[in-house]
Amino acid sequence: MRFTRRGVLIGAGITGGLVAAWTLAPRRFLTPLPAGEGEFAFDAWLKIGTDGVVSVAVPDVEMGQGITTLIPQVVATELGADWRQIAVEPAPVSGAYGNAPLASAWSSLWLPLVAGLADEPDSLLARRYAQNEAFVATAEGTSLAAHEAAARAAAASARAVLAMAAAERWDVAWEECDAQQGFIVHDKRRLSFAELVAEAAELTPPDPPLPRAQPPQERAAQFPAGAPLLAPRLDLPSKVDGTYTFAGDVRLPDMAYAAIRHAPVGDCALVGFDGEAARGVPGFLRLVENPGWLAAVATNWWAAERALKAAMPRFRVTALADRGKIAERLETALRKGKADRVAEVGDPDAWLSEKFEHVARYNIAPALHAGLETASATARVDGNKVEIWAASQAPQALRQAVAGALDVPMDGVVLYPMPAGGSFDARLDAEHAVQAALVARGAGRPVQLIRSRWQEHVAGLPRTPARAVLAARTAPDGSLTALKLRIAMPATMREFGARLLDGASRREALDRQDESDALAMRGTVPVYQVPHLVVEHVPVRIDLPTGPLRGNSHGIAAFLIETFMDELAGRAGREPLSYRMAMLGHDLRLANCLQRAASLAEWNGGAMGTGQGLACYRMETAGREGRIGLIASARRDERGIRVDKLTAVADIGRIVNVDIARQQIEGGLIFGMGLARGAATSFKDGLPANGRLGMLGLPMLSDCPEIEVDFIDSDADPFDPGELGAIIAPPAIANALASAGSERLRTLPLTGAGQ
């Protein structure tokens, strides 16, 4: 990792009122990290107190991925701090924390005509955009890519001035001093950070910062499952004892509670309700109406929910989302629609103009996030000041949405960021916070809005449904010579970008569904060497609002490609592992993952009746790559799909925290099991068919298989593993079921739910 003035934040007098971010030209921001009594702020990333406590700012939302441990661990390692004295606090929205790698990855959304000018991970134009727009978004596993360098630089600068302060006392060169476990040491002398921090705050650090020779890194062999940890998760103790505070735990003086009823999905409007019936519910306070929903406010949430039931809101409904209409539009687009070529290799038109040896059709249902915590937000409105307590993956977009909805200045919207009880990209949407603010204004008092599970499914934004055809031509030995992927689905990322960046309503954003959208097709170019290849996207408007979900298009792509590869291997009479390995000579890292997983799982060839299936995948985000190989053992019994074991090997570059990386892959595999077994819905007359969590076929504790996760050591830039398990589990399970003797399934979920 290289440090330059362009890539780090440098303190102005280190405790001064400004921090500078260098890109095309220096940028200055008000210091986003306020220091309390007995604290000294060192840049935008950390404070050190006279009690020795090091407080680290984390600009990203904690939603189970462990970012409130990872960034503090980066700081603690670089600073030489004692992990027992590390604290964490959410950072305010500021351009100082702009997520440039994500801005680069999404450049086609905010720079659609010339996205190529900002699509490189180190793009100066993307960095300027992220700073100017305070683009502090948590998505696509870009947190370390966005913040590690700046956090290390801040810690290196703080370590340097602490060493300078100690060196002045000892009359030695500060470069001869080191920081260890919260002390500056020189030979046998040592002074604590607490003793030095006041003096250090008056000194000027080196420019540029002087980081340690080695970045933070843990080797997997040092931390097998169950081993003692150097940096246990900071959020774990409070989550275990129940004191961890989520959005639904916020309590304010004079606060009321609100429940909500949304219009069906479509072009709908509220036309009436029975206010008198609602007033008969004990605890009821008032109703707040909006064209697209009705909310009830009461002294407790259950009273609000009962009042809504009594009020029986009525909606005028047209152009409703419907399973039949969605399927018809996708099918028509797949057969007749105009396609955009996403990728082309060799001469696919010549090779694929003749008869295909194998053709497979696929059906992908709308997938639901199914987070443990439904959308919750607390709001307090006082004139032009709006305070919001909510989890948000895009806090500046949330502030803009609230300001626009209430017609107040942006400066008047204060967001108190809360952690999310599982988001899976659902909290990129700000609608719940806007609704809470509108209800609070209508009620004239602070209000906490909590969606019921049913309303979460009505108002949620599922991962897009899709139809696909894969066609192949093969050589006499069965090896793949030409491959075509044709996928019909909405331009879901264009639609998402219109809402997030342009402030479009859900209905307005639907107009983008039939546009060209390369972002919606990421991952659909196979990792395998194929002499002749073409990938086509047929964008289609389906009038069902869609949004990002963990893994996004990679989850669809992995399922299509990896199950199809198994079919080709079977037709050729080839063993699935060797069939893939023959096409992975250019990617030895992925081949290594797959071979090691096969060895750990005692791969038996995946022959019929064995119940073993495999899949592998390479994922690229912000110029960083992650790879995973997975062997699944699965079968069907009287209770449906049963997964007995999952064995995964991942190559995710340099690992900052092995335990968190393992957790992320294990959790992702369980999430992927949910996508394979259910987590989907269809729509009838604008309403989802599955309204309860128990209807989604999600794995329960008794369904969870034995999971083994191993890592390949690497010094490449860290890759966030949170999505790898989620995207690789469904195809591996599908292949395992086929080898167990079940019918080859080409639907996702495998149960056919939501189709």
Side-chain angles (χ1 to χ4, degrees):
M1 184 175 297
R2 185 167 58 90
F3 289 89
T4 68
R5 287 174 65 88
R6 294 181 180 275
V8 300
L9 299 175
I10 305 167
I14 208 158
T15 57
L18 297 174
V19 292
W22 298 85
T23 56
L24 301 177
R27 299 283 299 157
R28 292 185 176 273
F29 305 92
L30 291 174
T31 304
L33 195 61
E37 184 177 353
E39 289 183 324
F40 297 87
F42 291 79
D43 210 311
W45 292 94
L46 71 148
K47 300 182 293 187
I48 302 177
T50 54
D51 56 0
V53 172
V54 179
S55 298
V56 181
V58 176
D60 294 339
V61 61
E62 176 62 69
M63 45 190 178
Q65 82 278 36
I67 195 60
T68 50
T69 296
L70 290 173
I71 291 181
Q73 186 173 352
V74 167
V75 168
T77 302
E78 184 63 49
L79 183 61
D82 186 338
W83 188 247
R84 294 169 298 180
Q85 290 188 285
I86 295 292
V88 62
E89 63 179 73
V93 179
S94 169
Y97 305 109
N99 189 333
L102 185 60
S104 174
W106 288 354
S107 59
S108 62
L109 302 182
W110 55 270
L111 199 64
L113 299 180
V114 285
L117 297 178
D119 63 357
E120 294 298 320
D122 58 352
S123 164
L124 299 181
L125 192 58
R127 187 170 295 278
R128 170 55 62 85
Y129 171 83
Q131 293 170 356
N132 285 350
E133 301 298 323
F135 183 69
V136 186
T138 310
E140 307 225 357
T142 54
S143 293
L144 281 179
H147 306 312
E148 183 184 16
R152 278 192 70 196
S157 294
R159 174 169 47 81
V161 292
L162 288 166
M164 290 175 185
E168 286 185 8
R169 293 194 188 187
W170 296 329
D171 194 24
V172 299
W174 74 268
E175 293 88 348
E176 298 175 2
C177 301
D178 193 16
Q180 301 172 5
Q181 295 298 306
F183 292 87
I184 299 296
V185 298
H186 182 271
D187 291 336
K188 295 183 179 181
R189 291 176 290 190
R190 69 178 193 168
L191 290 168
S192 69
F193 291 176
E195 295 174 275
L196 297 168
V197 64
E199 300 166 45
E202 302 298 325
L203 302 176
T204 301
D207 181 11
L210 302 174
R212 296 183 186 272
Q214 298 297 323
Q217 184 171 19
E218 293 183 353
R219 300 289 182 181
Q222 297 175 294
F223 298 96
L229 306 176
L230 292 178
R233 288 186 66 139
L234 294 175
D235 57 345
L236 189 58
S238 56
K239 285 182 175 177
V240 170
D241 67 20
T243 59
Y244 199 71
T245 303
F246 294 94
D249 298 318
V250 172
R251 296 293 181 266
L252 301 177
D254 195 36
M255 188 182 82
Y257 298 83
I260 194 167
R261 288 289 186 278
H262 296 89
V265 180
D267 187 7
C268 306
L270 181 69
V271 294
F273 51 87
D274 188 345
E276 286 299 321
R279 279 188 279 273
V281 175
F284 169 78
L285 297 174
R286 64 168 301 158
L287 295 170
V288 178
E289 56 184 291
N290 183 272
W293 46 264
L294 179 69
V297 183
T299 55
N300 62 80
W301 185 86
W302 182 238
E305 180 71 10
R306 290 177 58 210
L308 275 178
K309 184 176 181 180
M312 294 187 297
R314 302 183 301 280
F315 298 93
R316 174 184 53 79
V317 295
T318 57
L320 292 173
D322 185 82
R323 174 179 59 188
K325 294 177 182 177
I326 293 170
E328 180 182 358
R329 291 185 182 183
L330 288 171
E331 189 63 30
T332 300
L334 184 64
R335 290 188 289 107
K336 303 177 181 179
K338 182 180 179 181
D340 295 321
R341 286 205 166 181
V342 175
E344 184 176 346
V345 175
D347 188 7
D349 290 328
W351 276 85
L352 296 169
S353 60
E354 300 180 14
K355 184 178 179 180
F356 304 122
E357 272 83 18
H358 187 53
V359 178
R361 295 174 58 86
Y362 292 85
N363 188 357
I364 312 297
L368 300 175
H369 299 85
L372 184 62
E373 179 191 36
T374 61
S376 307
T378 302
R380 180 165 57 196
V381 181
D382 184 4
N384 283 337
K385 182 179 180 181
V386 183
E387 296 174 282
I388 301 287
W389 289 258
S392 175
Q393 294 178 244
Q396 187 71 342
L398 183 150
R399 294 179 66 227
Q400 291 169 342
V402 171
L406 275 70
D407 193 23
V408 299
M410 267 280 292
D411 289 346
V413 180
V414 180
L415 172 64
Y416 302 99
M418 307 298 296
S423 172
F424 316 121
D425 286 347
R427 300 303 165 244
L428 284 165
D429 183 59
E431 186 180 62
H432 63 302
V434 171
Q435 292 170 341
L438 289 170
V439 174
R441 185 177 66 177
R445 62 195 295 177
V447 167
Q448 183 173 101
L449 172 68
I450 300 177
R451 288 179 183 166
S452 66
R453 180 64 59 180
W454 165 240
Q455 290 303 300
E456 180 83 332
H457 290 180
V458 173
L461 294 163
R463 185 181 69 185
T464 181
R467 295 286 191 280
V469 168
L470 275 68
R473 290 193 64 188
T474 56
D477 65 352
S479 59
L480 185 59
T481 56
L483 176 65
K484 178 178 181 178
L485 291 86
R486 181 177 172 91
I487 303 173
M489 66 178 181
T492 182
M493 289 300 291
R494 291 285 188 192
E495 177 193 356
F496 161 69
R499 292 192 304 264
L500 181 76
L501 304 178
D502 301 334
S505 69
R506 294 189 177 189
R507 293 299 300 172
E508 293 168 341
L510 290 176
D511 292 336
R512 310 293 298 274
Q513 285 190 337
D514 57 1
E515 297 182 5
S516 177
D517 189 358
L519 276 181
M521 293 287 288
R522 286 172 301 175
T524 54
V525 177
V527 68
Y528 303 105
Q529 284 184 318
V530 183
H532 306 281
L533 168 74
V534 63
V535 180
E536 296 180 345
H537 174 215
V538 187
V540 53
R541 176 165 177 163
I542 61 173
D543 285 332
L544 171 69
T546 65
L549 181 143
R550 190 178 190 179
N552 296 317
S553 59
H554 295 281
I556 296 174
F559 181 75
L560 298 178
I561 295 167
E562 286 302 294
T563 56
F564 193 69
M565 286 299 163
D566 249 44
E567 291 193 43
L568 291 177
R571 285 179 57 85
R574 301 263 296 274
E575 187 266 330
L577 175 61
S578 62
Y579 190 80
R580 288 171 170 82
M581 293 296 291
M583 295 183 285
L584 287 176
H586 63 296
D587 195 335
L588 297 181
R589 292 173 64 186
L590 182 58
N592 193 13
C593 289
L594 193 54
Q595 282 189 319
R596 187 180 294 189
S599 176
L600 289 175
E602 299 180 351
W603 170 252
N604 57 21
M608 185 60 65
T610 62
Q612 277 195 331
L614 60 79
C616 64
Y617 197 74
R618 181 180 70 197
M619 186 175 179
E620 188 272 333
T621 300
R624 303 182 178 203
E625 294 179 337
R627 295 167 172 83
I628 190 167
L630 177 67
I631 309 294
S633 296
R635 55 192 165 83
R636 284 187 180 273
D637 65 13
E638 65 280 0
R639 292 181 293 173
I641 295 173
R642 302 290 296 173
V643 180
D644 297 313
K645 186 176 181 180
L646 297 171
T647 304
V649 174
D651 182 340
I652 57 172
R654 171 171 53 87
I655 302 176
V656 174
N657 188 302
V658 170
D659 190 54
I660 289 178
R662 185 179 291 112
Q663 291 171 22
Q664 283 295 91
I665 291 182
E666 290 174 347
L669 292 171
I670 298 299
F671 188 89
M673 279 182 57
L675 292 174
R677 293 161 45 112
T681 190
S682 59
F683 288 83
K684 179 66 175 176
D685 296 330
L687 296 175
N690 294 332
R692 299 175 59 185
L693 205 60
M695 300 172 68
L696 298 183
L698 301 177
M700 296 185 291
L701 188 60
S702 59
D703 300 316
C704 293
E706 177 187 353
I707 298 178
E708 184 176 10
V709 176
D710 197 11
F711 297 97
I712 293 176
D713 281 337
S714 172
D715 294 322
D717 286 336
F719 182 88
D720 188 298
E723 296 182 335
L724 286 175
I727 64 181
I728 201 64
I733 293 170
N735 291 336
L737 292 174
S739 75
S742 295
E743 178 186 359
R744 168 61 68 176
L745 300 171
R746 297 174 182 158
T747 63
L748 194 61
L750 302 173
T751 58
Q755 310 295 335

